[in-house]
Amino acid sequence: MHSFIPPERFFPYLTWTEVQAMPDKANVVLVQPLGAIEQHGPHLPLIVDAAIGEAVLGKALQQLEASVPAYALPPLYYGKSNEHWHFPGTITLSAQTLLATISEIAESVYRAGFRKLVLMNSHGGQPQVLEIAARDLHVKYEDFSIFPLFVWQAPHIAKELLSPQELKLGIHAGDAETSLMLAILPNQIRMEKAIAEYPPEQPGSLLSIEGKLPFAWTTRDLSQSGVIGDPTTASAEKGDRLLESLAAGWVQVIRDVYAFQPPQQR
Ligand SMILES: [Zn+2]
């Protein structure tokens, strides 16, 4: 049941009496992984985003010193994936449902006495929903610290491993995600089906897919295969190094959340 998470760090394995008796609950770090079940081209399974989040968190929690109390909540596999919904197999929640789900999870842990909740998101299509949830929860519960974070915002070494074109345009099922999956779940990858597909660019324009001045898009606007990037250069070795670096980055994130003290309240 605990997948990549060390069992002693898996929140659902606790009893209610253990939760009740837990010391220093205001500083205990709870991490809610948020993934997606969505198409990732013909070569990767639907579970990619959820798998990457769980693998990074699991590795980070293995390395985290025992003196830092941190627990993983069960992953939310489903996310807001409607940009992919022309591709069958994609399962999406609406923004409203995701917002309500995050809020109700957060209120449950707040009621139990916890005051630090990390929303660890591994799907590029939903950071905005998490940010709205976090702000609204903090407005409602002023002593509740919520951290709406994206897996890829922690320090990592993708710049050393990926081509400049891939760093810029390889946003979905490309080299990074495919390499990670070769390291995490190698038996679920169909490398013989991997093909590269880059989206058309807007030459000379300030507007781009995910730049400073973006436009709204669905994946079908940009790609026939569902791939946005080049998975053909992916390797398990690259994936291992990327995973190691992301996990090390997340150890630091969890330590920082544990040490975090909210700005002075008046
Ligand atoms: Zn993905």
Side-chain angles (χ1 to χ4, degrees):
M1 301 293 286
H2 54 279
S3 158
F4 301 114
I5 306 297
E8 70 279 9
R9 297 284 195 179
F10 191 54
F11 188 83
Y13 285 174
L14 297 169
T15 67
W16 78 265
T17 50
E18 286 164 350
V19 172
Q20 187 179 53
M22 195 180 291
D24 194 23
K25 252 185 280 183
N27 287 305
V28 169
V29 181
L30 296 187
V31 183
Q32 173 63 63
L34 295 131
I37 298 297
E38 63 181 32
Q39 76 81 19
H40 274 78
H43 69 293
L44 290 178
L46 304 168
I47 202 168
V48 169
D49 291 350
I52 290 173
E54 280 293 278
V56 171
L57 180 58
K59 224 175 214 331
L61 289 174
Q62 271 165 23
Q63 292 166 18
L64 186 70
E65 52 276 20
S67 58
V68 177
Y71 294 91
L73 295 166
L76 184 63
Y77 277 7
Y78 298 130
K80 178 180 176 293
S81 297
N82 55 355
E83 73 274 31
H84 295 290
W85 72 1
H86 300 106
F87 297 83
T90 299
I91 296 175
T92 186
L93 306 179
S94 66
Q96 291 84 345
T97 301
L98 181 59
L99 191 60
T101 304
I102 293 170
S103 303
E104 289 171 21
I105 293 167
E107 291 191 322
S108 300
V109 300
Y110 184 89
R111 205 177 304 123
F114 297 98
R115 294 295 181 264
K116 290 180 177 177
L117 175 63
V118 176
L119 305 175
M120 185 196 194
N121 174 36
S122 49
H123 165 45
Q126 61 196 14
Q128 307 84 351
V129 181
L130 276 67
E131 285 160 16
I132 292 170
R135 174 63 52 73
D136 283 0
L137 284 158
H138 182 66
V139 167
K140 191 167 174 188
Y141 306 99
E142 291 183 356
D143 61 344
F144 199 3
S145 298
I146 324 271
F147 305 84
L149 309 181
F150 190 42
V151 167
W152 294 93
Q153 282 167 334
H156 58 74
I157 58 164
K159 274 203 176 110
E160 291 171 32
L161 300 173
L162 305 178
S163 72
Q165 191 186 24
E166 195 61 13
L167 284 167
K168 186 168 161 225
L169 295 172
I171 60 167
H172 193 73
D175 194 347
E177 286 190 320
T178 305
S179 292
L180 278 172
M181 288 301 287
L182 286 169
I184 297 167
L185 289 171
N187 296 336
Q188 305 303 328
I189 317 307
R190 293 76 158 159
M191 265 322 268
E192 73 286 357
K193 300 231 167 89
I195 46 155
E197 196 173 348
Y198 282 109
E201 288 198 79
Q202 314 280 323
S205 173
L206 291 171
L207 306 174
S208 63
I209 307 169
E210 292 211 320
K212 286 193 179 125
L213 299 167
F215 54 90
W217 48 268
T218 69
T219 307
R220 196 174 62 175
D221 300 336
L222 308 174
S223 169
Q224 287 193 341
S225 63
V227 174
I228 305 173
D230 183 2
T232 61
T233 49
S235 72
E237 193 248 329
K238 239 188 266 187
D240 278 329
R241 293 182 57 197
L242 206 44
L243 185 59
E244 285 298 333
S245 73
L246 281 164
W250 273 88
V251 169
Q252 192 57 49
V253 170
I254 294 168
R255 281 186 195 136
D256 285 356
V257 170
Y258 177 56
F260 178 83
Q261 291 307 317
Q264 198 67 46
Q265 287 167 13
R266 286 159 214 282

